[in-house]
Amino acid sequence: MEKKEYTLALLVSNKPDVLARVSGVLGGRGYNIETLCVDATLDPAYSKIILTTIQDKATIGKIEKQLMRLIDVHKVTDLTQVESVSREMILVRMKLSDTNKGHLALIIDTFNGRVITMNGDHCVMKITGDREIIEKAVASLKPLGIDDMARTGIVSLERKIN
Amino acid sequence: MALVTSGPGASNTVTGIANAYLDSIPIIVLTGQVPTHLIGTDAFQEVDIVGITRPCTKHNFLIKRVEEVAKTIHEAFHIARSGRPGPVLIDLPKDIMAAVTEYEPEPPRKIEEESPRPASKKAFYVMDLVAESKKPLILSGGGVILGGASEELRQLAWRTKMPVSSTLMGLGAFPGSDPLWLGMPGMHGTYYANMAISHCDLLIAIGMRFDDRVTGKIDHFAPNAKIVHVDVDASSINKNVMVDVPIVSDCKSALQSFNALLEQQNFSVTDDQRREWTEQISTWKRENPLSYCQSDTEIKPQFVIETLYKLTKGKAIITTEVGQNQMWAAQFYGYDEPNTFLSSGGLGTMGYGFPAALGVKIAFPDKLVVDIAGDGSIQMNIQEMATAIQDNIPVKIVLLNNGYLGMVRQWQQLFYGKRYSSTDMTYQPDFLKLAEAYGWKGLRATKPEEVEAVLQKGLAAPGPVLMDFRVSREECVYPMVRPGGPIHEMALGREMAN
Ligand SMILES: Cc1ncc(C[n+]2csc(CCOP(=O)(O)OP(=O)(O)O)c2C)c(N)n1
C-alpha cells in the first residue's frame, strides 16, 4: 500500500509520562515520528499533541486505535482526512558576509521571513509556511551558509468548526 | 492484587504483568519505590518500574503525594476492570507509604470507557446473516468468559443450532460435552474445528482477537465466510483479519441484543435446515477425531488427562503450565463451565499454572484444583510448594514428566531435523523426594496400569499432592498446523507414528 505523511491530533491529559506513552505506541512497533508539537490547550488540564508519521492507510488506522487504548488519550483526529491548515516555523542562524547579504535579503523577502536578531557577523531569522515552503526555504538558504537551525514540526488545525 | 518491594521485587513482576496484559486479566500491582527525594538518583533498589511496564500495563501510576493515594487506587480498580480489562500498576514511594493523611471518600474519576453496545441496526443485520446462512459457526474467546457472557453464548448457539469453537482462553464458555461443540481451533485445534472454519459461510467471532496461533495463514482463514467480529476493544477489530461486520461492544451486551432479536423474531431453525452442515461436521469428526496411540508399556500423557477427566467427571478446575501439557489439557479434558480452565494464552508463560492453582484454590476452597504441568514449567515456580504448606492450600499437581522441554523438542523434531538442543531435562530433581522435602505427598506412575490408581490416591488425599507421571518421552501434540501454514492443512500424527 502507498505510504504518505499523516498528521494526527491527539487530545491528551497534561501529565508527566503521557508523551512517553504516546511515542511508545509508535516506537514499540518500529514506527518513526517525523514531527511533533505539544502544548497545553485552553483548558490547562489537557494538551494537544500534533504528530506526523509516514504510513500506509491501514497502518495509520491501527495506530489511531492503539493510541485510543491509552487511558490518557481522549481523542485522536486524523487531520489528513479532514480539511485542515498546516504550518511549520523554522529559526535559522546564518553567518553573514558581504557576499551573501544581498541574496539573503531576497530570500527573506520571497519567503515572507523576518530577521529576529542581527549581530555583526550573524543573524537569526524565522520563516513560517507549510512543509513545502519550509523545504524550499531551507534549500535556498543552504548554499548561503546555515550555521544552525531549529524546526517546530507541523502544527495543524481543522479548517471548519465541527 | 500483588504487593512487592522496590527494585528487584518490582522488576520480577514484569512477566506476570505482561501475561495479564496479553490475556486481558484485571490485576492491580502495588510496587514499592525509593523515597520521592531519591527518585532518579540511581538509589539503592531503584528501578523505573513505571517506565519498564509502560508497554505491558493497561495503565500505570507513580504517586508523588499522599493525597493522591485514595483517588489513584479507586481509579486503578476502575481502569483494570472496565472495557478490555488489564493490569494496572501503582508505584508507591516509601515516604508516601509511611505518610499519614485523612481519607476522604470521593467517587472515582469517571473515565469515558463505559461498555459500548452494538447499534441495533447491526444486530438486525447479523441476525439476517444467521437466517440466510447454511454453514454458520461461532468462534468465541476469552472475552466471553471475562464478560460473564457464557450463558448468553449458549442461548445463541442452542437457539440457532450453530456449532461452537472456542480459543484456548475461551474454553468452558460453551460446554465441552455439547453436541454442537467443536473443540479448540488453530495450531493444535481439532481437525473438525479447523475444517469448519475453512468451510463455513458465516463466522461469528465473539470476544476473541484472531491470534496467529488461531488463524494460521491469514489469506486462507475462513475464506468463504462473512465474518462478524464482536469485541470490546476497537483496536482488535480489523487488526489481523479483515471483517465484514465489525461490532465494538462488550460480549454480554452484544449477545443479549442478538438473543433479544431472535426472541422478537420468533426465530427457529429446524434440524433439517442444518442437516447438510451437521452431517458434514459429523463426517469430519468421524474421520479425524482427537486421538492418540495408546500403549501397553508407556504412559501416554493424553491417557493421564483422559483418566483425570473420567475420575473427576470434568468437575475439577484445571490450570496448566505451558507447552505440550497445556495443549493436551486443552484437548483431552472437557470443560463444561467458564472459569474452569486457566492457562497462559497470549504470553505462554511457563510457571503460570502452579501459582494460578494456588490462587484458584484460595478463591474456591471447595473445588478440586489441579495444575497439569510439564517437568520444565513446574520448576519455574517450584518454591511455591512451601506456600501451599504454609497457607494450607491443598492443590494437586499432575506432572506429565517427559524429561524434555517437550514442546520445544517437538519443534526441533519436526522442523529442525531432530537436532535436540537445550531441551533435554534428564537432569531433574527426584520429584518424589522434592515433594517430601516440602512436606507434600508425592506419588509416581511409570506404567499405564498405574495411572488410574495414582490419580485416585492423589486426588483423594487431603493435602497437596504432586503426581509424577513418567510419560512417553517423545510424544508429540497433534493435530498440528505448521507455523505460518493454513489451518486446513494439518499433520494428524498418524503419518508420523514412527
Ligand atoms: C518462561 C518461559 N520460557 C520459555 C518458554 C518457551 N517454551 C515454550 S514451551 C517450552 C517447553 C515446556 O516444557 P515443559 O514444561 O517440560 O512442558 P512439555 O512441553 O514437556 O509438556 C518452552 C521452553 C516459555 N513459554 N516460557
Side-chain angles (χ1 to χ4, degrees):
Chain A
M1 246 192 287
E2 195 203 332
K3 289 193 171 192
K4 65 170 198 177
E5 186 163 30
Y6 284 87
T7 307
L8 299 182
L10 282 63
L11 184 67
V12 303
S13 302
N14 186 3
K15 289 203 299 205
D17 221 36
V18 173
L19 187 58
R21 293 176 200 277
V22 167
S23 61
V25 165
L26 286 108
R29 292 170 173 77
Y31 303 139
N32 193 37
I33 295 174
E34 302 296 324
T35 75
L36 179 71
C37 257
V38 195
D39 209 337
T41 62
L42 282 177
D43 178 350
Y46 298 96
S47 289
K48 193 189 247 187
I49 297 177
I50 311 270
L51 63 83
T52 67
T53 177
I54 297 171
Q55 303 296 345
D56 61 41
K57 203 167 173 189
T59 309
I60 198 74
K62 289 180 192 182
I63 290 173
E64 283 173 51
K65 287 191 207 165
Q66 291 296 339
L67 288 169
M68 275 310 290
R69 283 179 79 186
L70 298 176
I71 301 294
D72 288 329
V73 173
H74 307 287
K75 192 171 166 212
V76 179
T77 315
D78 180 353
L79 293 176
T80 330
Q81 304 296 327
V82 295
E83 250 192 89
S84 56
V85 286
S86 299
R87 286 293 180 274
E88 180 172 359
M89 191 181 80
I90 184 172
L91 294 176
V92 194
R93 191 170 60 240
M94 302 289 298
K95 287 189 193 118
L96 298 177
S97 63
D98 290 343
T99 47
N100 74 3
K101 270 183 187 159
H103 200 163
L104 191 58
L106 199 65
I107 293 174
I108 292 174
D109 198 43
T110 312
F111 290 98
N112 251 323
R114 257 186 49 201
V115 174
I116 298 171
T117 80
M118 178 125 81
N119 201 338
D121 64 340
H122 67 270
C123 77
V124 176
M125 50 182 276
K126 71 154 197 186
I127 296 171
T128 309
D130 61 21
R131 207 157 171 68
E132 207 186 326
I133 296 280
I134 298 292
E135 294 294 350
K136 278 190 184 146
V138 172
S140 318
L141 289 170
K142 227 174 174 175
L144 303 188
I146 295 178
D147 186 45
D148 201 0
M149 63 182 214
R151 290 170 76 154
T152 57
I154 289 170
V155 287
S156 190
L157 193 68
E158 294 98 321
R159 200 181 279 274
K160 293 185 198 142
I161 296 172
N162 49 15
Chain B
M1 283 214 42
L3 175 65
V4 299
T5 188
S6 71
S11 58
N12 263 344
T13 63
V14 172
T15 303
I17 292 173
N19 188 84
Y21 186 65
L22 279 180
D23 286 341
S24 310
I25 305 298
I27 60 169
I28 305 285
V29 180
L30 303 178
T31 50
Q33 183 54 279
V34 300
T36 40
H37 71 274
L38 287 180
I39 290 178
T41 65
D42 296 338
F44 178 62
Q45 296 195 327
E46 176 184 7
V47 294
D48 172 13
I49 196 65
V50 167
I52 291 173
T53 60
R54 205 182 283 128
C56 63
T57 48
K58 184 171 172 191
H59 197 59
N60 57 20
F61 299 90
L62 167 63
I63 296 189
K64 295 197 92 172
R65 295 185 315 124
V66 67
E67 294 77 23
E68 295 166 8
V69 171
K71 186 174 131 244
T72 307
I73 288 179
H74 279 301
E75 212 168 295
F77 273 86
H78 179 69
I79 292 170
R81 289 187 291 201
S82 59
R84 177 176 178 177
V88 178
L89 179 141
I90 305 175
D91 202 17
L92 287 162
K94 179 168 179 285
D95 52 328
I96 305 287
M97 277 194 274
V100 175
T101 187
E102 208 53 47
Y103 174 67
E104 286 171 30
E106 62 172 307
R109 183 176 65 108
K110 207 180 155 302
I111 296 155
E112 290 93 322
E113 221 195 27
E114 77 288 342
S115 300
R117 303 181 143 264
S120 64
K121 223 170 65 190
K122 273 203 180 158
F124 267 109
Y125 182 53
V126 173
M127 290 305 111
D128 282 349
L129 292 177
V130 171
E132 285 163 20
S133 166
K134 294 202 164 52
K135 303 185 219 169
L137 177 67
I138 297 175
L139 187 49
S140 83
V144 171
I145 294 177
L146 285 167
S150 305
E151 199 42 53
E152 287 80 0
L153 175 77
R154 293 167 187 212
Q155 279 172 23
L156 176 69
W158 287 332
R159 176 141 201 175
T160 57
K161 298 189 165 74
M162 289 194 273
V164 182
S165 175
S166 301
T167 65
L168 185 79
M169 297 308 291
L171 293 177
F174 193 75
S177 52
D178 194 278
L180 288 172
W181 174 242
L182 290 176
M184 185 172 75
M187 182 172 275
H188 293 298
T190 61
Y191 173 77
Y192 34 97
N194 285 350
M195 291 308 271
I197 290 172
S198 305
H199 289 85
C200 65
D201 62 11
L202 174 66
L203 183 76
I204 303 186
I206 309 178
M208 54 83 69
R209 56 186 178 84
F210 296 105
D211 182 88
D212 55 275
R213 286 292 188 267
V214 167
T215 61
K217 195 175 168 65
I218 296 274
D219 315 344
H220 294 264
F221 182 80
N224 310 314
K226 272 221 153 42
I227 302 180
V228 176
H229 188 191
V230 178
D231 203 282
V232 72
D233 173 16
S235 76
S236 288
I237 293 178
N238 287 337
K239 182 177 64 180
N240 300 338
V241 168
M242 296 307 283
V243 303
D244 302 282
V245 189
I247 299 180
V248 180
S249 163
D250 78 276
C251 298
K252 201 175 178 90
S253 308
L255 285 163
Q256 277 171 347
S257 47
F258 295 162
N259 289 332
L261 272 183
L262 292 174
E263 186 65 39
Q264 207 179 313
Q265 299 172 343
N266 225 336
F267 182 96
S268 75
V269 55
T270 60
D271 287 338
D272 227 35
Q273 282 168 284
R274 285 275 180 268
R275 174 143 303 141
E276 208 180 312
W277 186 222
T278 317
E279 275 176 6
Q280 173 66 76
I281 288 173
S282 306
T283 310
W284 286 326
K285 282 186 175 174
R286 208 170 41 247
E287 282 172 358
N288 289 303
L290 265 184
S291 64
Y292 62 95
C293 258
Q294 182 56 303
S295 152
D296 307 331
T297 49
E298 287 188 313
I299 301 179
K300 289 296 173 118
Q302 302 93 327
F303 172 63
V304 177
I305 296 176
E306 272 185 352
T307 312
L308 177 69
Y309 179 67
K310 192 180 82 182
L311 293 177
T312 57
K313 304 188 177 63
K315 295 279 184 270
I317 299 183
I318 303 294
T319 70
T320 78
E321 300 297 340
V322 167
Q324 296 181 312
N325 60 85
Q326 176 185 35
M327 291 300 115
W328 286 319
Q331 292 176 333
F332 288 92
Y333 195 96
Y335 302 93
D336 281 342
E337 295 301 329
N339 296 312
T340 56
F341 175 78
L342 286 92
S343 196
S344 168
L347 196 65
T349 313
M350 291 168 70
Y352 167 87
F354 179 34
L358 296 176
V360 171
K361 184 70 186 175
I362 292 170
F364 299 97
D366 300 331
K367 293 273 185 185
L368 175 62
V369 181
V370 182
D371 174 30
I372 294 179
D375 46 307
S377 301
I378 195 62
Q379 294 187 72
M380 296 253 163
N381 278 313
I382 195 87
Q383 74 284 1
E384 303 303 334
M385 288 182 86
T387 312
I389 298 293
Q390 178 155 346
D391 293 326
N392 187 21
I393 317 171
V395 298
K396 316 291 174 188
I397 296 175
V398 167
L399 181 60
L400 303 176
N401 188 346
N402 52 16
Y404 278 117
L405 295 172
M407 186 56 95
V408 180
R409 186 208 59 76
Q410 173 168 344
W411 283 51
Q412 290 174 347
Q413 172 187 331
L414 300 179
F415 310 116
Y416 299 94
K418 274 202 166 195
R419 295 193 304 280
Y420 295 166
S421 164
S422 306
T423 43
D424 192 332
M425 295 278 291
T426 316
Y427 293 93
Q428 53 174 237
D430 178 332
F431 283 102
L432 284 196
K433 286 189 184 155
L434 191 72
E436 252 172 58
Y438 275 111
W440 282 47
K441 191 182 192 60
L443 297 168
R444 177 172 290 147
T446 54
K447 296 195 213 71
E449 59 270 25
E450 295 165 356
V451 168
E452 185 157 342
V454 163
L455 278 172
Q456 261 168 348
K457 207 164 149 194
L459 298 178
V465 183
L466 185 151
M467 290 159 263
D468 180 18
F469 294 93
R470 297 301 180 88
V471 298
S472 167
R473 288 200 74 199
E474 302 211 352
E475 188 72 13
C476 286
V477 180
Y478 290 112
M480 180 169 193
V481 176
R482 80 189 138 79
I487 57 168
H488 64 270
E489 286 176 18
M490 275 159 282
L492 295 162
R494 283 194 292 270
E495 61 273 24
M496 314 239 181
N498 55 345

